[in-house]
Amino acid sequence: MVAAVDEVQSQFPGLELSQTGDLTLDTAIDDQVAEDLSVAETISLPITLVLMLLAFGALIAAGIPVLLAATSVAATIGISAPVSHLVHADATVTSMIVLIGMAVGVDYSLFYLKREREERERGHTTLDAVEIAAQTSGHSILVSGGAVIASMAGLFLMQDTTFNSLAVGAILVVAIAVLGSITVLPALLAKLGRWVDRPRVPLLWRVNRRIGRGGISSRLLGPILRHPVASVLVGGLIVAALAAPALGMKTHSSNLETLPDSIPQVQTMIEIADRFPSQGPGAEVVVHTSADNREEVGTALDVLAGDAAATGLFTDSAPPVEVSTDGRTSVLHLTMPFEESDDRVDEALRLLRSDLAPSVLDVPAEVVVGGDAADSLDFVERQQSRLPLVIGFVLLLTFLMMAFAFRSVPIALLSTALNLGSVGVAFGLITLVFQHGWGESLLDFSSPGFVIEWIPLFVLVVLVGLSMDYHVFVVSRIREYVEAGQSTRDAVRRGVSETAGVITSAASVMVSVFAIFATLSMLEMKMLGVGLSAAILLDATLIRLVILPAALVLLGERAWWWPLTPARVRVSRHLPAEPVPVRARDESRV
């Protein structure tokens, strides 16, 4: 049809011919989404490699995280083919696999590589360093991967084929990334030895060595540990202020207003809806009864059309009632003179379902109200009813995992509270930017006055899962020093300062990748990009590096309370009380 329209257009240049409709729009939108995601994937890979070069200062070390992430993604896409015969594979699942796989694959490799390098700098051999990294960072990767999988499993509660598909893809890629990080990665590091730090990029290598472990972060951490109460209060107030707009969040299905103007079929559909109101939001009243009641049903539906028009919520241009060949099913098409996102559309549908339609029929019949507008309303209401269940499921599961992983109830409660704060910030920022229109010119979009309905749920599970990566890494390092006999304050000081650089590198990868999505043309992608990138940036800085250490210092030794076993301290055999000076060695000969 597209080719036929183009051919006729070429024959009659004085006329303007354009094609649109449900199928044409769907095809154009799918093409635009595929183009956007292709751009994001193409840009994200070199950006990730550059960030890894900044983090390590050596080409091989920088390439290993990207290699592990890319192979995890490739393996998952391959495994998804047979899995798709069991679970429906949505068209967007590949992009989900790339998005999550690159994030967790790079993070896990980064944590492992950084720890192995630290242990070599302390004087351990390569094999010992890899073994210690396996016992520490490897354990953190297992816990973190379990938390991400638990978070993604929350999508199953929606009982929606698209969310099920995304959940399966995300869980598979995380599981494969974890498997590669605890098997292939240590074997590769043991084989490479000190060659992992070759070839070095001179300037970047010197900067990495000069900053060292925790050089800058220690100076920033000092005031936080000296004034923990003020740090928690100020940080909490900032988080609360950013999350407050989420209380007024309005969700709605995507419509013509949310589609980019660059799609010609969208412009055509907007013009049709404007010039032909009968093409606006509609509702279908479907009556199913005995064929003997055909005349009564037809008369009742004619009355219903008049009653509906009299309310002012529907037009008076209803077409004739359609009747099936067997006379048992009748359909009345009603239209509404409003834009799709207008609140009066939902008001009209509720009135039609609860009052108008049931009141006109005197014969026993099954009456339902459907159509695109009704479908959107039902989906939003269903998601709103299930969102608290998903939030509770994700937070409860991550609470249990943190509690049993660290043998600490306060740590699990604190982790849950911080996750809730991160989600609140993401929801608040999305509401400010896209519902209230902050930064429209900067991001090149027009605010529709609402948030697309599936965005909050998707942001929730992705954000909780990914933010647990570096949270587990920080808490694990603090726990190590506590088990080595240090006080909680000293353990927090050393643990946070020594992991701050790794967290910054890991978060910078996520923020940069998600920020790319904010520049794409589809509004859904912009919402994802802004919500996730801004929330992860704040989560990795204010929440995990300010509120978390301050809260742990306030809790003191109570942070490690566990009711199932008596308190005990295990001295770690591989953690010195203070860092061992690096011995002078001839690197070229080693």
Side-chain angles (χ1 to χ4, degrees):
M1 288 185 65
V2 173
V5 171
D6 291 343
E7 182 181 352
V8 175
Q9 173 71 83
S10 65
Q11 295 174 8
F12 299 90
L15 299 178
E16 181 182 345
L17 275 70
S18 52
Q19 173 183 329
T20 191
D22 290 343
L23 295 178
T24 309
L25 266 180
D26 287 346
T27 302
I29 292 170
D30 289 344
D31 291 343
Q32 186 64 55
V33 170
E35 181 182 342
D36 280 358
L37 292 175
S38 176
V39 170
E41 293 163 7
T42 303
I43 297 175
S44 65
L45 195 61
I47 288 180
T48 302
L49 188 57
V50 169
L51 290 173
M52 290 300 96
L53 274 174
L54 293 174
F56 290 104
L59 287 175
I60 294 179
I64 287 176
V66 179
L67 178 64
L68 178 70
T71 52
S72 298
V73 168
T76 305
I77 292 174
I79 293 174
S80 296
V83 172
S84 67
H85 293 278
L86 302 174
V87 180
H88 165 73
D90 192 78
T92 57
V93 70
T94 300
S95 301
M96 173 71 165
I97 290 171
V98 173
L99 184 73
I100 301 298
M102 290 301 296
V104 298
V106 168
D107 279 6
Y108 296 160
S109 302
L110 183 64
F111 297 158
Y112 210 108
L113 273 166
K114 283 286 190 178
R115 186 56 186 265
E116 189 265 351
R117 176 186 277 185
E118 287 180 18
E119 297 305 327
R120 281 194 286 110
E121 290 175 353
R122 283 174 170 163
H124 292 102
T125 65
T126 296
L127 289 178
D128 285 344
V130 172
E131 181 185 353
I132 294 171
Q135 295 172 357
T136 53
S137 294
H139 177 264
S140 299
I141 289 170
L142 284 172
V143 176
S144 175
V148 178
I149 289 173
S151 179
M152 294 299 171
L155 291 174
F156 288 122
L157 296 179
M158 293 302 297
Q159 297 180 354
D160 179 85
T161 54
T162 298
F163 285 133
N164 289 348
S165 175
L166 296 178
V168 169
I171 289 171
L172 281 175
V173 76
V174 171
I176 291 173
V178 169
L179 182 63
S181 299
I182 61 177
T183 56
V184 178
L185 182 58
L188 187 61
L189 293 179
K191 186 69 174 177
L192 287 172
R194 298 187 181 278
W195 281 99
V196 74
D197 290 330
R198 302 289 196 278
R200 297 169 179 171
V201 181
L203 177 61
L204 295 179
W205 178 261
R206 285 196 296 270
V207 170
N208 265 275
R209 305 298 290 177
R210 186 168 299 169
I211 293 177
R213 289 185 292 116
I216 296 177
S217 57
S218 295
R219 291 188 286 273
L220 297 177
L221 191 61
I224 296 170
L225 299 185
R226 287 195 297 271
H227 308 286
V229 175
S231 299
V232 170
L233 289 177
V234 172
L237 287 174
I238 294 174
V239 170
L242 292 174
L247 297 175
M249 178 187 288
K250 174 187 173 184
T251 59
H252 195 280
S253 296
S254 57
N255 53 39
L256 291 175
E257 299 173 56
T258 65
L259 296 175
D261 297 336
S262 58
I263 300 179
Q265 294 84 348
V266 172
Q267 288 298 319
T268 304
M269 183 62 82
I270 291 174
E271 291 180 12
I272 289 176
D274 181 53
R275 300 182 187 185
F276 300 91
S278 62
Q279 298 295 320
E284 297 175 357
V285 182
V286 184
V287 180
H288 186 69
T289 184
S290 170
D292 298 335
N293 300 323
R294 176 173 178 169
E295 291 186 7
E296 292 89 338
V297 170
T299 303
L301 289 180
D302 289 337
V303 172
L304 174 61
D307 292 347
T311 64
L313 296 174
F314 296 89
T315 65
D316 57 0
S317 57
V321 175
E322 297 178 5
V323 183
S324 62
T325 54
D326 62 3
R328 300 171 61 195
T329 304
S330 303
V331 182
L332 171 66
H333 296 272
L334 298 174
T335 56
M336 291 160 273
F338 313 116
E339 294 183 349
E340 291 182 70
S341 59
D342 196 308
D343 290 338
R344 288 172 293 183
V345 171
D346 294 344
E347 179 187 348
L349 288 169
R350 293 189 179 100
L351 178 65
L352 184 62
R353 283 175 164 173
S354 63
D355 185 23
L356 296 178
S359 65
V360 299
L361 285 170
D362 296 327
V363 296
E366 180 184 1
V367 183
V368 292
V369 176
D372 291 341
D375 179 65
S376 171
L377 174 63
D378 291 343
F379 186 87
V380 169
E381 289 183 342
R382 186 167 184 269
Q383 180 167 294
Q384 288 175 343
S385 67
R386 287 182 173 269
L387 186 59
L389 179 63
V390 175
I391 293 175
F393 173 83
V394 170
L395 294 180
L396 177 61
L397 212 53
T398 52
F399 167 83
L400 293 175
M401 291 193 65
M402 292 296 292
F404 284 97
F406 293 101
R407 297 292 191 272
S408 169
V409 172
I411 290 293
L413 288 172
L414 180 59
S415 303
T416 304
L418 295 180
N419 285 337
L420 200 56
S422 298
V423 171
V425 167
F427 287 3
L429 291 173
I430 291 174
T431 304
L432 282 176
V433 174
F434 296 99
Q435 184 172 316
H436 299 294
W438 289 26
E440 283 182 312
S441 58
L442 179 64
L443 295 173
D444 189 25
F445 75 97
S446 296
S447 171
F450 59 85
V451 176
I452 295 174
E453 83 282 350
W454 61 270
I455 294 292
L457 175 65
F458 192 77
V459 167
L460 164 72
V461 296
V462 172
L463 181 60
V464 171
L466 296 184
S467 64
M468 289 298 289
D469 278 356
Y470 39 82
H471 178 76
V472 169
F473 187 67
V474 175
V475 177
S476 295
R477 183 65 67 93
I478 295 172
R479 178 72 175 181
E480 287 178 40
Y481 288 123
V482 169
E483 291 181 342
Q486 297 190 21
S487 67
T488 298
R489 178 182 289 272
D490 291 338
V492 168
R493 175 181 58 81
R494 289 189 61 187
V496 172
S497 63
E498 292 180 4
T499 56
V502 184
I503 291 175
T504 301
S505 300
S508 64
V509 171
M510 295 187 196
V511 170
S512 62
V513 170
F514 290 133
I516 295 171
F517 281 72
T519 65
L520 302 181
S521 60
M522 295 296 293
L523 192 61
E524 291 97 326
M525 299 298 154
K526 289 183 182 292
M527 289 184 180
L528 277 180
V530 170
L532 289 174
S533 60
I536 287 177
L537 177 62
L538 196 74
D539 185 88
T541 52
L542 177 65
I543 292 180
R544 310 295 171 177
L545 298 182
V546 176
I547 298 178
L548 174 63
L552 289 177
V553 168
L554 288 176
L555 288 171
E557 304 307 317
R558 293 168 295 182
W560 313 105
W561 177 75
W562 182 244
L564 302 182
T565 55
R568 59 185 181 186
V569 175
R570 177 179 61 83
V571 178
S572 176
R573 65 179 178 82
H574 56 73
L575 278 178
E578 293 294 337
V580 177
V582 179
R583 295 180 304 209
R585 54 170 70 93
D586 185 349
E587 294 286 353
S588 63
R589 235 181 351 214
V590 171

